[in-house]
Amino acid sequence: MTAEERRNLRAFQDYVIKILDPTYILSYMSPWFKDDEVQYIRAEKNNKGTMEAASLFLKFLLELQEEGWFRGFLDALAHAGYSGLYEAIESWDFQTIERLEEYRSLLKRLQPEFKTTVNPKDILPEVSKCLISQECEEIMQVCSNKGLMAGAEKMVECFLRSDKENWPKTLKLALDKEESKFSELWTVDKEVSHIYTPVKPRNYQLELALPAKEGKNTIICAPTGCGKTFVSLLICEHHLKKFPQGQKGKVVFFAVQLPVYEQQKSVFSNYFERLGYKVAGVSGATSENVSVKQIVENNDIIILTPQILVNSLKNGTIPSLSVFTLMIFDECHNTGKHHPYNMIMFNYLDQKLGGSSDPLPQVIGLTASVGIGDAKSTAEAVEYICRLCASLDTSVIATVKDNLEELEEIVYKPQKFFRKVESRTTDRFKCIISQLMRETESLAKSIFDEIGTITLEGISQIQNREFGTQKYEQWIVTVQKACTVFQLPDKDEESRICKALFLYTSHLRKYNDALIINEHARMKDALDYLKDFFTNVRAAGFDEIEQDLTRRFEEKLQKLESVSMDPSNENPKLKDLCFILQEEYHLNPESRTILFVKTRALVDALKKWIEENSELSFLKPGILTGRGKTNQNTGMTLPAQKCALDAFRTNGDKKILIATSVADEGIDIAECNLVILYEYVGNVIKMIQTRGRGRARGSKCFLLTSNAVVIEKEKINIYKEKMMNDSISMLQTWNEAVFKEKVLQIQIQEKVIRDRQGKVEPVPDKENKKLLCRKCKAFACYTVDIRVVEECHYTVVGDAFRKCFVSKLHPKPKSFGYFEKRAKIFCARPNCSHDWGIHVKYKIFEIPVIKIESFVVEDIATGAQKLYAKWKDFHFEKIPFDAKEMSK
């Protein structure tokens, strides 16, 4: 059971609670559950109900630490007959179960009629395959003991929990067979889940769509929550319908963030499939399992994360952008520098300026804010916006002008409040942790004293770093990178020193994280964060250095516990946050809030604080964070993100969502009337995005900070927003031909610079190099033994390499293309176990696949060492994988 699966199960527990009667699977779970827990679950069902029992069952389940319980749980579901739930959990895809929700709602509404008109005994033989066998027995028992109406009530209760995709249809057939009156009420349209109720577009939406409908390349700039996605549906429908008989349009819609991609795929599918168009999508999460070429060829509308198209253009899977007739860029303000949007548009502009006769697609950009970069004046802001238009080949910026009153009725601009809050005047927790950090720094410095004159760049400045800051975190990253390529003649000594420095800096990073949590949340949460870390340290290698560092922490633990439990050390910032929330919910108990914070650790800490605060626990907080990994912590998985968003939209009990920047852009979050920026401020784009999340009438936006500079920065952002709007208004007065010429001149200048930079093709270095483990510097292989598989995967041939790693079964084995992921591989040196990659079956071959970021590259001749984050940056002679060579 991986931590990811545990997190997913926790994220999807609402579905499980709605469906599962745990008493049906307890007998299969006996190896994992104690007798008293089993009795407790049964009692909970009898006293409070099935859902409460399921909730208790999951609580016990998620606390289990024994090996194999997750598989045991899945097997128990299969044995008991919960096939739908089994499949949903195995694939972490609950869409099928979600689609049954409207039938459950309908059956709940019709329950009074069902129990008075349906004889459950008559239809039970026909519908039994959609129920659990024990449920069928219980229905018959209730009919015998309490009568047919009670039996019908019991049957409804069982259907409401059914996880079988076809139960609505099966029930319909059974009712028809018995010629039941209820059959007239129970209408089952297999497309019911995908019905899109046509919505009449508002006048301001038609105004925004007009230039694009006229075929012009357009940036649509309009506030968050005004329905820009709906505007893009109108443009898309108009575009596809304009083609004469025998010709077809092809639309691609780009979304950068995965939750936005998932959401837009669903919206476009629901809208266009009823019109007979084919819609499909490919993202980084699904690209391994599908053919991008076929998806593009076989569909009318394709939703993509942009890197997919960048890769496909690069490897020739998609020959050119001419296969599309319309490209829509969501959150188009991202089109700059090396962003995938810009890579796509470089391809487009090369085709445009290269005189190609192939037609180019129409381009549409959607954004709440085009931004103004570092502009200090309106003239500089105009120039910045012109450059964005040049990047997207647009000469029209569509904003709402004629229908502003209607727009303001729909999108309410929240009132903005700045609240300066106080920090703790004295902070004993910070004093103790700072002392531990100074000790750890001294230990790190003593390593350098051992080796005399050899120092690492930046170590000398160690005392000038301020603990508990982002700057300190950056310094740690710099030192760790320097450690990785640090060299000594004695390789064992080099390995020992590098490992020691990694351990010291890793502990310093955790202490730094804890100080950031302590600054903005409770001391208790910061201490819990450290205790969890040291528990994990104990469970892993736990060498002498780790033992020493753990002992030092444990010596201070009692004092830290005492300080964190002292009420006088309560964080005054939290008192202010609590006051605002109480005040707002007193004024409006139905308030919906998004609380933005800077880091994931803070999200978790504030969630715990709300849940454990008797005055706020009624808010039942949900969380939304990004998917990437930071500091070895995995982000939220895509299923967990979807589940969090769905819960906030549909579950009235969840009144607050605590989020990092992932909720800034594009994700359709339910109307909320309170946005709180807790020590959270960004650029003008970020400000407009986050403020735009407060969509409800009378909404408010609070900025809470102890830093006066942050309030000043936010006021500058408000001024920049005005400058941006003035600049757009000025550009809209320009003659379109003049605007087009300005855009063309920028494009020509940019292409000259791009071509100059791009012509220098890196020459592959043919000299043999060594790959060493990045953590312990153990030798791994030579570059001459590396082979490239399918253009982007790297393996090592020869038996020597197999002795350098150990493998463990992969926690999530899966197949993609010709590959079957089977195991993870790690450095074989004792006390290292650094993750080197995976072991796969490729066609008929069992091969390791390594990742370059796990290694240091050493020049054999000079001994110089280098780090690479990606294989594409490492310009060595790349030899393709050859089956014949393997056969020898």
Side-chain angles (χ1 to χ4, degrees):
M1 172 68 174
T2 64
E4 185 180 346
E5 283 168 329
R6 197 183 290 274
R7 268 198 304 278
N8 283 351
L9 190 54
R10 199 169 268 123
F12 285 117
Q13 64 184 0
D14 288 353
Y15 288 109
V16 181
I17 289 166
K18 275 184 192 173
I19 289 167
L20 180 66
D21 183 332
T23 61
Y24 297 162
I25 68 168
L26 284 174
S27 59
Y28 303 111
M29 295 297 293
S30 54
W32 291 278
F33 277 35
K34 298 184 190 114
D35 288 346
D36 58 336
E37 289 174 335
V38 170
Q39 295 311 318
Y40 195 179
I41 293 164
R42 291 190 190 282
E44 193 79 351
K45 179 183 173 179
N46 294 335
N47 298 331
K48 294 185 181 175
T50 308
M51 284 177 71
E52 286 75 9
S55 183
L56 182 64
F57 170 83
L58 273 179
K59 179 179 176 291
F60 290 148
L61 190 70
L62 288 163
E63 286 169 359
L64 289 172
Q65 297 301 326
E66 290 86 346
E67 281 291 316
W69 67 262
F70 181 68
R71 192 71 246 170
F73 171 52
L74 281 179
D75 291 345
L77 290 176
H79 285 308
Y82 284 108
S83 53
L85 196 53
Y86 174 93
E87 285 164 18
I89 292 173
E90 194 164 59
S91 61
W92 299 118
D93 182 354
F94 283 75
Q95 285 183 10
T96 303
I97 286 173
E98 182 62 44
R99 280 200 289 271
L100 294 170
E101 191 54 48
E102 53 204 305
Y103 294 112
R104 292 191 194 104
S105 301
L106 181 61
L107 189 55
K108 274 183 200 164
R109 213 165 46 238
L110 298 175
Q111 187 195 26
E113 187 66 18
F114 187 96
K115 71 177 185 185
T116 55
T117 56
V118 175
N119 182 333
K121 283 182 168 182
D122 290 345
I123 66 166
L124 189 57
E126 301 296 325
V127 300
S128 60
K129 60 187 175 214
C130 295
L131 302 172
I132 304 291
S133 55
Q134 275 177 264
E135 287 178 327
C136 298
E137 290 166 20
E138 286 174 17
I139 291 165
M140 291 304 289
Q141 212 171 347
V142 173
C143 288
S144 303
N145 298 342
K146 297 184 179 177
L148 293 177
M149 276 177 69
E153 275 185 336
K154 179 69 183 173
M155 182 175 269
V156 168
E157 184 194 314
C158 296
F159 274 130
L160 293 177
R161 278 203 308 274
S162 177
D163 60 347
K164 309 301 180 290
E165 185 179 11
N166 61 340
W167 76 256
K169 195 81 184 279
T170 306
L171 175 59
K172 175 71 173 169
L173 294 170
L175 292 167
D176 287 348
K177 190 175 176 185
E178 292 300 319
E179 297 179 353
S180 166
K181 286 184 196 170
F182 189 79
S183 184
E184 293 165 28
L185 298 172
W186 188 248
T187 52
V188 179
D189 174 356
K190 67 177 173 26
E191 294 297 324
V192 71
S193 308
H194 302 292
I195 287 175
Y196 188 99
T197 311
V199 179
K200 188 174 181 289
R202 295 191 166 93
N203 291 327
Y204 75 78
Q205 290 172 324
L206 293 170
E207 182 185 348
L208 288 170
L210 186 62
K213 281 183 169 183
E214 290 170 351
K216 295 173 181 173
N217 287 2
T218 308
I219 291 176
I220 294 168
C221 184
T224 304
C226 73
K228 288 190 290 295
T229 300
F230 183 56
V231 172
S232 69
L233 294 174
L234 298 174
I235 294 166
C236 200
E237 184 177 2
H238 178 271
H239 177 83
L240 290 170
K241 284 181 175 174
K242 76 176 186 184
F243 285 88
Q245 194 74 36
Q247 290 182 30
K248 281 182 84 174
K250 195 175 288 289
V251 179
V252 61
F253 184 104
F254 300 109
V256 179
Q257 292 188 334
L258 266 166
V260 183
Y261 157 84
E262 286 288 342
Q263 190 171 288
Q264 303 298 42
K265 186 154 74 88
S266 171
V267 168
F268 272 77
S269 297
N270 290 351
Y271 187 89
F272 283 102
E273 284 175 359
R274 73 193 169 98
L275 301 172
Y277 294 106
K278 290 181 181 172
V279 182
V282 188
S283 71
T286 60
S287 61
E288 291 177 339
N289 307 320
V290 296
S291 159
V292 178
K293 187 171 189 280
Q294 285 178 353
I295 293 276
V296 171
E297 281 175 4
N298 299 336
N299 291 278
D300 304 299
I301 300 161
I302 302 97
I303 318 295
L304 294 178
T305 48
Q307 190 62 43
I308 297 295
L309 186 58
V310 173
N311 297 347
S312 300
L313 288 165
K314 199 171 176 182
N315 64 28
T317 309
I318 305 293
S320 91
L321 293 174
S322 298
V323 301
F324 304 110
T325 55
L326 173 64
M327 299 196 298
I328 304 175
F329 293 84
D330 196 25
E331 310 298 349
C332 69
H333 53 266
N334 289 305
T335 314
K337 296 183 181 171
H338 296 291
H339 191 278
Y341 278 0
N342 226 14
M343 298 294 132
I344 292 165
M345 287 309 297
F346 287 166
N347 194 296
Y348 173 104
L349 292 167
D350 286 349
Q351 200 172 322
K352 174 188 173 180
L353 300 172
S356 166
S357 58
D358 292 337
L360 283 163
Q362 184 184 355
V363 178
I364 306 296
L366 308 173
T367 184
S369 166
V370 290
I372 59 166
D374 299 322
K376 304 284 188 295
S377 65
T378 305
E380 287 178 11
V382 165
E383 183 65 23
Y384 178 90
I385 296 167
C386 284
R387 288 191 173 279
L388 178 67
C389 291
S391 296
L392 286 159
D393 198 36
T394 54
S395 51
V396 177
I397 302 172
T399 57
V400 178
K401 291 188 287 187
D402 300 339
N403 297 281
L404 263 176
E405 277 184 30
E406 183 193 37
L407 175 67
E408 283 161 5
E409 274 295 302
I410 303 302
V411 181
Y412 314 112
K413 208 169 184 179
Q415 294 172 269
K416 193 84 191 258
F417 299 94
F418 299 106
R419 187 74 67 91
K420 173 90 165 59
V421 294
E422 297 308 316
S423 292
R424 297 182 184 92
T425 46
T426 57
D427 193 336
R428 285 166 62 209
F429 183 91
K430 186 172 183 178
C431 291
I432 298 166
I433 297 299
S434 297
Q435 179 56 36
L436 283 167
M437 290 177 82
R438 280 190 289 274
E439 287 175 20
T440 310
E441 284 183 342
S442 298
L443 291 166
K445 283 186 75 114
S446 69
I447 293 282
F448 291 97
D449 295 340
E450 273 182 51
I451 47 176
T453 56
I454 303 165
T455 58
L456 277 177
E457 187 186 349
I459 280 286
S460 57
Q461 300 163 4
I462 197 164
Q463 301 297 354
N464 303 335
R465 306 286 163 189
E466 190 185 339
F467 298 145
T469 61
Q470 299 294 120
K471 202 171 174 186
Y472 193 85
E473 161 85 18
Q474 285 158 10
W475 172 79
I476 286 168
V477 171
T478 307
V479 172
Q480 287 195 340
K481 279 184 179 171
C483 288
T484 314
V485 292
F486 166 72
Q487 287 175 280
L488 282 174
D490 183 337
K491 292 302 165 189
D492 286 341
E493 184 69 354
E494 180 187 308
S495 175
R496 182 186 70 80
I497 283 168
C498 285
K499 191 173 172 217
L501 287 170
F502 262 111
L503 289 173
Y504 289 136
T505 48
S506 297
H507 281 67
L508 285 169
R509 170 184 267 152
K510 290 296 174 182
Y511 283 136
N512 194 60
D513 289 346
L515 288 181
I516 292 171
I517 296 168
N518 172 61
E519 169 68 21
H520 303 309
R522 297 177 299 182
M523 283 181 183
K524 172 186 179 297
D525 300 314
L527 183 55
D528 286 347
Y529 179 81
L530 287 175
K531 280 156 72 175
D532 286 347
F533 168 66
F534 280 102
T535 301
N536 290 333
V537 168
R538 278 184 170 284
F542 208 48
D543 70 4
E544 283 178 26
I545 290 174
E546 289 170 314
Q547 288 169 29
D548 176 47
L549 291 171
T550 303
R551 179 186 55 75
R552 290 167 187 271
F553 172 71
E554 285 174 348
E555 281 172 2
K556 306 282 188 201
L557 187 54
Q558 200 172 347
K559 198 181 282 186
L560 287 167
E561 295 271 18
S562 163
V563 167
S564 70
M565 298 310 288
D566 184 344
S568 68
N569 291 322
E570 195 178 332
N571 195 332
K573 287 186 191 180
L574 293 181
K575 284 183 182 172
D576 279 335
L577 179 56
C578 183
F579 176 73
I580 287 170
L581 287 167
Q582 284 181 295
E583 196 175 53
E584 293 304 318
Y585 279 90
H586 176 71
L587 292 170
N588 178 7
E590 297 307 309
S591 284
R592 311 279 285 158
T593 304
I594 299 188
L595 172 62
F596 280 103
V597 298
K598 276 189 295 197
T599 67
R600 284 187 198 140
L602 265 180
V603 168
D604 295 333
L606 289 172
K607 179 176 186 279
K608 275 173 73 178
W609 169 67
I610 289 173
E611 287 171 339
E612 292 170 16
N613 186 321
S614 57
E615 294 167 330
L616 299 176
S617 56
F618 72 93
L619 295 174
K620 293 192 168 48
I623 66 169
L624 184 65
T625 65
R627 296 181 76 239
K629 292 185 178 182
T630 56
N631 302 3
Q632 289 75 54
N633 294 330
T634 311
M636 259 179 126
T637 60
L638 183 59
Q641 284 180 335
K642 283 168 70 178
C643 201
L645 284 166
D646 290 344
F648 189 63
R649 280 195 207 101
T650 59
N651 186 342
D653 289 345
K654 290 196 181 292
K655 296 181 184 295
I656 188 167
L657 188 68
I658 310 170
T660 55
S661 60
V662 72
D664 270 358
E665 290 195 359
I667 302 171
D668 180 29
I669 294 172
E671 285 201 1
C672 49
N673 57 313
L674 184 60
V675 173
I676 300 175
L677 309 177
Y678 187 65
E679 296 285 8
Y680 180 99
V681 66
N683 56 26
V684 62
I685 290 173
K686 186 167 270 195
M687 188 201 78
I688 295 166
Q689 297 280 11
T690 47
R691 200 180 58 196
R693 292 276 155 250
R695 300 178 181 180
R697 191 185 290 273
S699 54
K700 297 175 185 176
C701 180
F702 286 90
L703 169 64
L704 264 75
T705 177
S706 55
N707 188 345
V709 176
V710 170
I711 291 175
E712 206 47 51
K713 192 174 177 185
E714 195 71 350
K715 286 180 176 173
I716 291 167
N717 280 340
I718 290 171
Y719 169 71
K720 282 186 164 186
E721 184 185 358
K722 183 182 181 304
M723 196 193 291
M724 180 190 80
N725 290 332
D726 291 347
S727 304
I728 291 172
S729 298
M730 188 185 292
L731 282 168
Q732 287 171 331
T733 64
W734 286 18
N735 175 289
E736 203 172 320
V738 172
F739 198 166
K740 273 189 170 169
E741 183 57 32
K742 167 82 174 169
V743 160
L744 180 61
Q745 289 311 311
I746 293 171
Q747 288 172 342
I748 291 166
Q749 290 164 14
E750 294 284 323
K751 180 162 168 57
V752 170
I753 295 165
R754 204 162 59 244
D755 288 350
R756 205 179 293 145
Q757 290 168 341
K759 273 178 187 157
V760 187
E761 268 295 307
V763 179
D765 184 347
K766 296 189 178 182
E767 292 297 317
N768 196 8
K769 306 264 189 295
K770 284 182 188 176
L771 260 65
L772 312 177
C773 173
R774 189 178 283 207
K775 185 175 174 187
C776 73
K777 294 293 186 74
F779 171 76
C781 67
Y782 292 105
T783 50
V784 74
D785 295 324
I786 294 174
R787 299 291 179 268
V788 187
V789 189
E790 304 270 328
E791 295 185 5
C792 57
H793 303 289
Y794 293 75
T795 188
V796 184
V797 296
D799 293 334
F801 181 63
R802 296 180 183 277
K803 295 170 187 167
C804 298
F805 68 81
V806 291
S807 58
K808 292 178 188 171
L809 286 178
H810 202 288
K812 291 191 84 175
K814 70 171 185 175
S815 298
F816 52 97
Y818 291 115
F819 293 90
E820 192 183 316
K821 196 192 290 183
R822 293 189 165 184
K824 286 180 76 71
I825 63 171
F826 304 91
C827 175
R829 182 176 276 194
N831 297 327
C832 179
S833 300
H834 190 47
D835 181 355
W836 282 6
I838 57 175
H839 211 276
V840 302
K841 183 176 182 184
Y842 171 65
K843 297 183 179 173
I844 59 167
F845 304 104
E846 299 276 350
I847 57 169
V849 173
I850 59 172
K851 44 189 184 181
I852 190 63
E853 65 265 33
S854 298
F855 300 93
V856 178
V857 177
E858 181 176 286
D859 188 296
I860 295 171
T862 65
Q865 293 183 347
K866 271 193 94 170
L867 300 178
Y868 296 97
K870 293 177 180 172
W871 283 107
K872 67 175 184 183
D873 302 326
F874 181 21
H875 305 298
F876 69 105
E877 189 173 21
K878 294 172 183 174
I879 306 165
F881 179 84
D882 183 355
K884 288 177 194 164
E885 181 185 14
M886 293 298 286
S887 305
K888 289 173 194 170

